[in-house]
Amino acid sequence: MEDEQSVVDVMRSMDLADEVVTRVSRLWGKSAARNGGRTHLLLGHLLDTAAVAGVMWDQHVSVAFRRRLDEVSGGRGRAWFMWVCGIHDCGKACPAFQSMDAAEAAPVLAAGLTWGRLPAGRGERWRHDVAGAVLLLPRLVAEWGDEEAAGWVWPLVAGHHGAFPPAAALDPPRGAQGRGAAWEEAQRAVVDVFTRAVGFDGLADVRPVGSLRKAEQLALSGLIVMADWIASDSSHFVGLSDADLVSFASARRRAETAWERLRLRGGWRDLSLPGDPLEPLTGRLGVQPRASQRELVERAWSMPVPGLLVAEAPMGEGKTKAALAAAEILAARFGLDGVFVAMPTQSTSDPMYEQVLQWVRSFDLELESQVALLHGRRRFNAWWRTIWDGKPRPGGDGHCEHGSRPGAVDMADDDFGAIDEDSDYGMVSDEPSTNRAIGLGADGPSYWFLGDKRGLLAAFAVGTVDHLLHAATRTRHVMLRFAGLAGKVVVVDEVHAADVYMRQFLIEALRWLGQAGVPVVLLSATLPPAQRQRFVDAYLSGVLGTADVHQPVPEPAGYPCVTVAYGADGQAVAETSREAVRSWRKSGPVRLAWLPDTDPAGTPVAAAVRKAVADGGVALVVVNQVARAQAIYRDLQDGGFDGVLHLLHARLCAAHRADRTAECLRLMGPQAGVDRPERMVVIATQLAEQSFDVDADVLITDLAPTDLLLQRIGRLHRHSGTRRPAAHQLPQVLVTGVAPGRDGVPRFLHASKQIYGEWALLRAAALVTEAAGPLTGGETDVPTASGWGIPADVPQLVARAYGNAGICPAGWDESGAWEQWQAKEREREKNAEEFLLCRRREWAFPTLEGLHYAGSRAASEEQLDAVVRDGDPSVEVVIVRRASGGYRGIDGTWLGVHGEVDDDEVTDRLMGGNIRLPPGLTDAAAELSPLPGWAGRPWLRYRLALVLEEDGTRLLGENRVSYDEVLGLVIERRAR
């Protein structure tokens, strides 16, 4: 076979001069020093990468993207994909790279490829990714006769290390690119020999017949990086220093073996269409379809091309199940290979992960191991541990499908595909390589996807919305994140939870997803109409490739409703439910009353709780500040509360928070039944707003913006058939965190103002006043008040809260609060612009050239989280206690004199003490470090230890902190 020819044979068949053959055969791509002790020739690495790309095409790249590459390549998509992936490193054929390792440079120099003095400073080095573009661009223009085609291909080469340079950067320092006939012949030969080896007649034969859109180029760039990283793993691609041993056939065999050993795979592959339109709901998910679910599924069937679906329905309506059913239909119709479900928080991601696991199993049991959970605390999810760590399944039956995998928990000790020489440019992951996946069962999960920035490349993924937002930031290797989205259906739950700053990134992501032809499903119970319109316009801007699309969304006929947006024949289309869709739950009155209180101690709230459940009942208290939640809990506990009492907030360590959340769901979730206590109080912070499927008899809540207030009310009388005391047959809400000020103007908790701003709180107070009567000095009781009709009133309440018309009583200075809020929002929008993937004026640019000319250099996930959430980087620590002669974990586990950890079980118990510090302690956390005994444990070696002294406290900055097993992290501010 022709591809069995060695590259030397290929060169000789091309009648290259002997000296050229010799020189090309000496060019190295991976040095022995950084490639497992064995040199790998440049042509070997190019062919390895092309071979990996061929396997990716067969087993990973979505049908939809394969179709697009077939279109632009004239029906030769697979070969063209292999070529564009493999050609990425051709720029290593230049003095700047070949001189980087003296041992490797010696044979190159001896063959007659010489160089003079080259710039040696780190910032002055001529990078081989840019060198590749300089080498290729003139040849592409000359041999393709098409500047447009060359113009979108060269940035794919120049950007393969994570950043796309501007054309002005294609200006090599003197001598760095190579001068003279010897270098010119060798560089030409590298490109031509590689091109011939992968099956093309020559470079002219590679010319594409069309162009990918910019978002498709970004996705392709990410796949190039993926292929490069896999082919750079020296444990699977052993270095070959003899060109007679390098051939495309051997590269293909190496790639297939590596793919299998790494257990890489795609998702559905060629998913067949359901036989019955409602089968994805009724059969796969076992749902008796509600009207709103049916509406979303029918829209997924009727949309002529991939587009945007916005589903608005009350809390508890079953939106997520309908979204999964819609995702199956969209994937089958349009050739997508998986799903990413984005959730607002880590705590909401966990139950969604378990739901998606169950759903994915219904297609193929083996797909279970292809579902990634993308957040930093996934280790504490029981199902994640079962599948990815080989632990016993939840329920204690000891069964594990994939067998025992000792050491598999060392997921942090993972960087398959370290990019060796490229570490000189700061382009490698922080994590060292292991061979953990070798020798494990073929049906297990692929740990490769757990490496830095790769999670979205897994076929199915559930994680925080930050992963979607990160894919819309001008950050290094953003193409990897985007490539992970481009072959999927993207579902975003609780989309209203994004504030104005985060919304900039969400809108940017929607533009790119729209241009890439990615179907997106947005879910919300409380979406302001203006946000719905902005989401539609953003997606359609991407579809049509212009920055300022505005396609008015018709007023929905009712609530629930589904809005659809797509492009057809170059025209924007936006439709919404033309007939009212019946909610499954009959709308009913919710009585609201005031409980004035702005004291962080919350004494009146504790008193109201006692009164509310005096004769039984389950009360949910949601407050806006951890210290306030702790104070209310203390008040009830110290007063001898007779009933079940729980405290739930973000300053609980991972183990306690997980246990307590599970216990609350057990006692007041949909399956509670006889376990539901006669008298119970849960005091929570904003954690209870989203995806917390509990049912309270009565709600006491701090005032929050209207949409969030309605989310909290969604936990009230949520499940049908729940036993309730006579006093709680009608849902009741006490609104606190506010008190009358001068002239009746509301005063708010300081923490509430800091979080939400005054304008949104004033508007919410005005709407509550309409239902509860005026805010006075004492608790109000308005038995005749109509309250709010839930869920029927939700859309108009949200629309009024965020509309332009004034709704506050005279004297509240609503206009002044509005101006302050607007000024702050404009400032936050401007701050976000700095990090957006593409600036407004650049949106119409047809290529990726210059995308990173002023990109963010956020280095860690924590820093990137701060970028998309507009905050200072937060810090996670592991709480340990100093003990006589050593340390103990949060649960008392003995660690050793220096904190030594002997095994994974102890690591698990220790990591249960993981906690995120509040932003006010971030600077002070600089004084923390890992314990010395953690140096050899991959999960621990970079973890900061918050060591509490034997009295249970420690000074952290100017604050004394302690940890109480019930209250969580307690912070005593030092008086100034």
Side-chain angles (χ1 to χ4, degrees), residues 658-695:
D659 291 346
R660 211 165 294 172
T661 301
E663 181 66 359
C664 289
L665 290 170
R666 185 182 73 82
L667 296 176
M668 53 191 297
Q671 309 300 322
V674 295
D675 290 336
R676 186 178 176 91
E678 290 186 16
R679 184 180 292 103
M680 177 176 176
V681 176
V682 175
I683 302 156
T685 54
Q686 292 93 330
L687 295 180
E689 278 175 8
Q690 297 158 339
S691 300
F692 188 49
D693 192 10
V694 297
D695 182 341

Side-chain angles (χ1 to χ4, degrees), residues 952-973:
T953 74
R954 72 163 287 158
L955 202 60
L956 190 59
E958 296 186 348
N959 304 291
R960 184 157 293 280
V961 299
S962 60
Y963 189 85
D964 182 276
E965 293 212 357
V966 176
L967 296 175
L969 190 71
V970 178
I971 303 168
E972 296 176 34
R973 310 277 180 193

Side-chain angles (χ1 to χ4, degrees), residues 817-829:
W818 161 254
E819 289 170 9
Q820 286 182 9
W821 184 78
Q822 279 287 88
K824 187 173 182 181
E825 297 291 271
R826 282 192 295 269
E827 181 184 356
R828 298 181 76 205
E829 285 187 4

Side-chain angles (χ1 to χ4, degrees), residues 5 131 297 366 398 514 522 647 693 721 856 935:
Q5 285 187 317
V297 165
E366 288 189 7
L522 304 180
L647 176 64
D693 192 10
S856 164

Side-chain angles (χ1 to χ4, degrees), residues 33 59 64 68 72 249 277 334 354 402 500 531 551 567 571 599 617 649 732 746 958 962:
Q59 300 192 42
R68 283 294 291 134
V72 301
F334 301 121
E354 291 162 30
H402 307 307
V500 66
Q531 281 191 38
Q551 182 65 30
Q571 299 296 312
D599 183 351
H649 57 72
Q732 305 170 67
E958 296 186 348
S962 60

Side-chain angles (χ1 to χ4, degrees), residues 687-846:
L687 295 180
E689 278 175 8
Q690 297 158 339
S691 300
F692 188 49
D693 192 10
V694 297
D695 182 341
D697 297 324
V698 61
L699 172 69
I700 302 177
T701 173
D702 279 347
L703 185 70
T706 306
D707 53 333
L708 303 183
L709 193 61
L710 289 165
Q711 288 289 335
R712 296 175 187 185
I713 291 173
R715 318 300 133 192
L716 186 62
H717 287 226
R718 185 179 177 94
H719 305 137
S720 59
T722 301
R723 292 183 297 108
R724 305 188 199 280
H728 297 303
Q729 290 302 305
L730 292 177
Q732 305 170 67
V733 180
L734 285 179
V735 181
T736 186
V738 60
R742 186 179 303 172
D743 300 325
V745 179
R747 288 186 296 108
F748 306 114
L749 275 168
H750 177 71
S752 299
K753 284 181 66 173
Q754 291 294 108
I755 298 166
Y756 302 119
E758 190 171 22
W759 178 76
L761 293 172
L762 282 173
R763 305 273 287 190
L767 293 171
V768 173
T769 297
E770 293 176 4
L775 178 61
T776 59
E779 182 180 341
T780 58
D781 189 18
V782 194
T784 58
S786 60
W788 287 342
I790 302 295
D793 289 349
V794 168
Q796 58 105 350
L797 285 168
V798 174
R800 290 181 65 203
Y802 291 98
N804 296 322
I807 60 174
C808 295
W812 283 21
D813 192 21
E814 181 181 3
S815 60
W818 161 254
E819 289 170 9
Q820 286 182 9
W821 184 78
Q822 279 287 88
K824 187 173 182 181
E825 297 291 271
R826 282 192 295 269
E827 181 184 356
R828 298 181 76 205
E829 285 187 4
K830 187 176 179 181
N831 291 342
E833 277 182 19
E834 178 185 350
F835 300 102
L836 291 177
L837 184 50
C838 187
R839 294 181 181 179
R840 190 177 197 83
R841 63 181 177 274
E842 302 159 6
W843 180 244
F845 290 5

